[in-house]
Amino acid sequence: MNFTNNEMNLMCIYNTGSRESLMRELREMRGYIGADQPELLAMTDSALQKLGKISDEEFTKLELFPDF
């Protein structure tokens, strides 16, 4: 799955160690995104969609280190 650099950075911030818990954290965070942040909302939705399509094994191979 091709995650964008921004999606990877977002996942680094909210990563708790497993794919399911990361998805749970992103869904919770999504609830706090205001209408004035459509780019963050779209990026979060995209990351969640992509995370839902990969396996736990594929998730463990992701290098979730911030690029900043």
Side-chain angles (χ1 to χ4, degrees):
M1 193 56 54
N2 292 325
F3 291 96
T4 67
N5 190 48
N6 287 337
E7 290 169 344
M8 291 294 288
N9 285 335
L10 181 67
M11 293 189 304
C12 288
I13 293 167
Y14 289 93
N15 185 25
T16 57
S18 76
R19 183 178 64 90
E20 286 298 323
S21 62
L22 172 57
M23 291 176 69
R24 186 173 40 252
E25 292 294 319
L26 288 175
R27 283 199 273 319
E28 182 178 338
M29 176 274 292
R30 189 185 185 285
Y32 296 102
I33 300 173
D36 60 333
Q37 298 174 307
E39 291 177 4
L40 180 56
L41 183 61
M43 179 176 34
T44 303
D45 288 345
S46 177
L48 281 166
Q49 182 181 20
K50 291 174 184 178
L51 283 166
K53 293 181 179 180
I54 65 172
S55 67
D56 290 334
E57 183 179 334
E58 290 170 312
F59 176 78
T60 61
K61 294 177 183 176
L62 293 175
E63 294 183 15
L64 294 177
F65 302 104
D67 187 28
F68 42 79

